[in-house]
Amino acid sequence: MLVAYLKCVIRSALFGNIVKSDGFCIDFIFYKRTVDENEDESLIRNHDLGINDFSMEEVAQLYRPSFLDPGRKTVYTAAMGLDQNQHEIRRCTTKEYYHLTGSTVYAKKLQQEKDAAGITAIESATPISKTARNISFLRFADHLLSNMDRLFAFYGFRTAKHRFNLYQGKQRAPEMMVNMLLNGGAKYNRKNRFKKKE
Protein backbone atom coordinates (compact mmCIF):
# COMPACT_ATOMS: atom_id res chain seq x y z
CA MET A 1 0.00 0.00 0.00
CA LEU A 2 2.88 2.37 0.80
CA VAL A 3 4.43 1.70 -2.61
CA ALA A 4 1.16 2.52 -4.38
CA TYR A 5 0.86 5.73 -2.36
CA LEU A 6 4.44 6.76 -3.23
CA LYS A 7 3.83 6.07 -6.93
CA CYS A 8 0.71 8.22 -6.76
CA VAL A 9 2.60 11.05 -5.03
CA ILE A 10 5.45 10.83 -7.55
CA ARG A 11 3.01 10.93 -10.48
CA SER A 12 1.17 13.94 -9.08
CA ALA A 13 4.36 16.01 -8.61
CA LEU A 14 5.33 18.08 -11.62
CA PHE A 15 8.66 19.26 -10.26
CA GLY A 16 11.18 17.68 -7.95
CA ASN A 17 14.26 18.73 -6.08
CA ILE A 18 17.04 16.85 -4.35
CA VAL A 19 19.66 18.26 -2.00
CA LYS A 20 22.78 16.12 -1.53
CA SER A 21 25.73 16.87 0.71
CA ASP A 22 28.92 15.00 1.47
CA GLY A 23 29.94 17.47 4.15
CA PHE A 24 32.19 19.51 1.90
CA CYS A 25 29.98 20.45 -1.02
CA ILE A 26 26.24 20.68 -1.57
CA ASP A 27 24.47 19.67 -4.79
CA PHE A 28 21.03 20.98 -5.67
CA ILE A 29 19.18 19.09 -8.37
CA PHE A 30 15.96 20.57 -9.73
CA TYR A 31 14.09 18.66 -12.40
CA LYS A 32 10.82 18.53 -14.27
CA ARG A 33 9.08 15.18 -14.44
CA THR A 34 9.02 13.41 -17.80
CA VAL A 35 6.03 11.63 -19.28
CA ASP A 36 5.71 7.84 -19.09
CA GLU A 37 4.23 5.92 -22.00
CA ASN A 38 0.90 5.45 -20.14
CA GLU A 39 0.43 9.11 -19.16
CA ASP A 40 -1.18 12.08 -20.80
CA GLU A 41 1.31 14.72 -22.00
CA SER A 42 -1.11 17.59 -21.39
CA LEU A 43 -0.42 17.39 -17.63
CA ILE A 44 3.22 18.39 -18.04
CA ARG A 45 3.55 20.05 -21.43
CA ASN A 46 2.76 23.69 -20.60
CA HIS A 47 4.57 24.12 -17.30
CA ASP A 48 7.66 26.15 -18.14
CA LEU A 49 8.48 28.16 -15.03
CA GLY A 50 11.00 30.95 -15.02
CA ILE A 51 12.34 33.39 -12.44
CA ASN A 52 9.69 35.93 -13.41
CA ASP A 53 6.89 33.54 -12.44
CA PHE A 54 7.64 34.06 -8.73
CA SER A 55 7.12 37.29 -6.84
CA MET A 56 9.39 38.33 -3.96
CA GLU A 57 6.46 38.18 -1.53
CA GLU A 58 5.68 34.62 -2.64
CA VAL A 59 9.30 33.53 -2.24
CA ALA A 60 9.60 35.18 1.19
CA GLN A 61 6.35 33.60 2.38
CA LEU A 62 6.74 30.05 1.01
CA TYR A 63 10.48 29.43 0.81
CA ARG A 64 13.59 30.02 2.89
CA PRO A 65 16.30 31.08 0.44
CA SER A 66 19.86 30.62 1.61
CA PHE A 67 23.06 31.60 -0.10
CA LEU A 68 26.12 29.44 0.56
CA ASP A 69 29.76 30.33 0.28
CA PRO A 70 32.58 27.86 1.00
CA GLY A 71 35.72 29.37 2.45
CA ARG A 72 39.19 28.63 3.75
CA LYS A 73 38.65 29.22 7.45
CA THR A 74 35.00 28.18 7.35
CA VAL A 75 33.48 25.05 5.87
CA TYR A 76 30.55 27.19 4.81
CA THR A 77 29.04 30.61 5.41
CA ALA A 78 25.35 31.01 4.64
CA ALA A 79 23.14 34.06 4.49
CA MET A 80 19.56 33.06 5.32
CA GLY A 81 16.57 35.05 4.07
CA LEU A 82 15.92 37.85 1.60
CA ASP A 83 15.84 40.91 3.85
CA GLN A 84 18.69 43.22 2.84
CA ASN A 85 18.93 44.96 6.21
CA GLN A 86 18.47 42.06 8.61
CA HIS A 87 19.30 38.47 7.71
CA GLU A 88 20.84 35.63 9.64
CA ILE A 89 24.41 34.55 8.92
CA ARG A 90 25.22 30.92 9.74
CA ARG A 91 28.68 29.47 9.53
CA CYS A 92 30.63 26.42 10.52
CA THR A 93 34.35 27.00 10.98
CA THR A 94 36.95 24.32 10.38
CA LYS A 95 37.73 24.44 14.11
CA GLU A 96 34.07 23.59 14.84
CA TYR A 97 34.16 20.81 12.22
CA TYR A 98 37.17 19.14 13.84
CA HIS A 99 35.51 19.52 17.25
CA LEU A 100 32.36 17.83 15.88
CA THR A 101 34.41 14.91 14.59
CA GLY A 102 36.09 14.52 17.98
CA SER A 103 39.58 14.62 16.46
CA THR A 104 40.83 17.48 18.65
CA VAL A 105 39.94 15.66 21.86
CA TYR A 106 41.40 12.41 20.48
CA ALA A 107 44.65 14.10 19.39
CA LYS A 108 45.12 15.72 22.82
CA LYS A 109 44.47 12.45 24.63
CA LEU A 110 46.76 10.50 22.28
CA GLN A 111 49.57 13.03 22.78
CA GLN A 112 49.28 12.71 26.56
CA GLU A 113 49.45 8.92 26.29
CA LYS A 114 52.47 9.17 23.97
CA ASP A 115 54.29 11.44 26.40
CA ALA A 116 53.58 9.11 29.32
CA ALA A 117 54.75 6.01 27.39
CA GLY A 118 57.85 7.69 25.90
CA ILE A 119 56.64 7.24 22.30
CA THR A 120 57.00 10.96 21.50
CA ALA A 121 60.77 10.77 21.96
CA ILE A 122 60.99 7.68 19.73
CA GLU A 123 58.87 9.24 16.97
CA SER A 124 60.70 12.57 17.06
CA ALA A 125 64.08 10.82 16.82
CA THR A 126 62.99 8.73 13.82
CA PRO A 127 65.10 9.57 10.73
CA ILE A 128 63.44 10.44 7.42
CA SER A 129 62.33 7.40 5.41
CA LYS A 130 61.89 9.20 2.09
CA THR A 131 65.46 9.45 0.88
CA ALA A 132 67.54 8.30 -2.06
CA ARG A 133 70.61 7.59 0.08
CA ASN A 134 71.10 4.03 1.26
CA ILE A 135 72.77 5.05 4.51
CA SER A 136 69.89 7.33 5.52
CA PHE A 137 67.32 4.64 4.82
CA LEU A 138 69.37 2.05 6.74
CA ARG A 139 69.43 4.42 9.74
CA PHE A 140 65.64 4.73 9.51
CA ALA A 141 65.19 0.93 9.29
CA ASP A 142 67.60 0.31 12.17
CA HIS A 143 65.82 2.87 14.38
CA LEU A 144 62.42 1.41 13.55
CA LEU A 145 63.48 -2.19 14.10
CA SER A 146 65.14 -1.41 17.43
CA ASN A 147 61.96 0.32 18.73
CA MET A 148 59.41 -1.91 17.02
CA ASP A 149 58.29 -3.75 20.16
CA ARG A 150 57.49 -0.52 22.05
CA LEU A 151 55.65 0.95 19.05
CA PHE A 152 53.59 -2.23 18.50
CA ALA A 153 52.76 -2.39 22.20
CA PHE A 154 51.54 1.23 22.17
CA TYR A 155 49.64 1.10 18.85
CA GLY A 156 48.04 -2.26 19.60
CA PHE A 157 44.42 -3.22 20.04
CA ARG A 158 43.89 -0.58 22.79
CA THR A 159 43.74 2.23 20.23
CA ALA A 160 41.17 0.43 18.03
CA LYS A 161 38.22 1.70 20.08
CA HIS A 162 39.43 5.31 19.91
CA ARG A 163 40.00 5.07 16.15
CA PHE A 164 36.51 3.61 15.70
CA ASN A 165 35.02 6.47 17.75
CA LEU A 166 36.94 8.91 15.57
CA TYR A 167 35.53 7.21 12.47
CA GLN A 168 32.00 7.54 13.90
CA GLY A 169 32.62 11.23 14.58
CA LYS A 170 33.74 11.79 10.99
CA GLN A 171 30.53 10.12 9.80
CA ARG A 172 28.38 12.15 12.21
CA ALA A 173 29.93 15.59 11.64
CA PRO A 174 28.52 16.29 8.13
CA GLU A 175 24.99 15.53 9.35
CA MET A 176 25.45 17.88 12.28
CA MET A 177 26.76 20.62 9.96
CA VAL A 178 23.75 20.23 7.66
CA ASN A 179 21.49 20.45 10.73
CA MET A 180 23.28 23.66 11.75
CA LEU A 181 22.75 25.06 8.27
CA LEU A 182 19.08 24.14 7.82
CA ASN A 183 17.66 24.24 11.34
CA GLY A 184 20.21 26.32 13.21
CA GLY A 185 21.17 23.42 15.47
CA ALA A 186 22.11 24.11 19.09
CA LYS A 187 24.52 26.83 18.00
CA TYR A 188 21.80 29.20 16.76
CA ASN A 189 18.86 28.06 18.94
CA ARG A 190 19.47 29.06 22.55
CA LYS A 191 16.68 26.82 23.87
CA ASN A 192 18.35 23.71 22.37
CA ARG A 193 21.86 24.37 23.74
CA PHE A 194 21.64 22.46 26.98
CA LYS A 195 19.00 19.94 25.95
CA LYS A 196 20.16 16.38 26.55
CA LYS A 197 19.49 13.59 24.07
CA GLU A 198 17.22 10.89 25.45
Side-chain angles (χ1 to χ4, degrees):
M1 177 154 174
L2 180 62
V3 175
Y5 173 73
L6 288 175
K7 285 183 180 177
C8 179
V9 169
I10 290 170
R11 283 191 190 132
S12 64
L14 294 176
F15 301 97
N17 54 27
I18 300 171
V19 180
K20 294 180 180 180
S21 173
D22 63 355
F24 297 102
C25 63
I26 298 175
D27 296 328
F28 295 95
I29 302 170
F30 301 101
Y31 62 91
K32 184 166 71 171
R33 188 166 63 88
T34 58
V35 181
D36 292 339
E37 58 267 358
N38 299 333
E39 289 184 303
D40 184 16
E41 276 189 45
S42 63
L43 292 174
I44 298 175
R45 190 179 318 147
N46 297 322
H47 292 284
D48 292 327
L49 289 177
I51 194 74
N52 297 329
D53 295 327
F54 298 97
S55 66
M56 288 298 280
E57 293 81 23
E58 220 177 8
V59 171
Q61 184 181 12
L62 299 174
Y63 304 104
R64 185 177 57 183
S66 52
F67 307 93
L68 280 162
D69 180 36
R72 291 184 182 175
K73 293 185 178 179
T74 60
V75 180
Y76 65 80
T77 302
M80 310 297 281
L82 292 173
D83 191 4
Q84 293 180 357
N85 298 327
Q86 183 180 5
H87 56 272
E88 187 176 0
I89 305 259
R90 294 181 183 171
R91 66 175 50 101
C92 181
T93 62
T94 53
K95 184 177 179 181
E96 287 174 315
Y97 170 74
Y98 288 121
H99 179 71
L100 290 174
T101 61
S103 60
T104 52
V105 175
Y106 172 71
K108 185 178 179 182
K109 185 177 178 181
L110 183 66
Q111 188 60 44
Q112 289 173 349
E113 290 177 3
K114 281 182 180 181
D115 291 340
I119 301 298
T120 306
I122 294 171
E123 289 181 344
S124 61
T126 303
I128 297 173
S129 63
K130 297 178 181 179
T131 180
R133 295 176 142 184
N134 292 342
I135 296 171
S136 299
F137 187 76
L138 287 174
R139 284 183 192 147
F140 164 75
D142 183 47
H143 179 78
L144 213 58
L145 290 172
S146 63
N147 295 302
M148 187 169 42
D149 293 336
R150 289 184 68 189
L151 291 171
F152 281 162
F154 181 77
Y155 290 112
F157 66 93
R158 293 183 310 114
T159 59
K161 180 183 176 189
H162 300 300
R163 284 181 296 178
F164 182 69
N165 290 339
L166 187 61
Y167 171 76
Q168 285 180 325
K170 286 180 183 177
Q171 295 290 318
R172 198 179 312 117
E175 295 172 6
M176 294 172 78
M177 286 192 325
V178 170
N179 185 33
M180 279 177 19
L181 172 66
L182 297 178
N183 303 323
K187 180 178 177 182
Y188 294 101
N189 294 333
R190 291 186 183 273
K191 60 184 174 185
N192 293 339
R193 280 197 186 159
F194 302 108
K195 190 181 279 188
K196 299 283 184 185
K197 289 185 179 180
E198 296 176 1

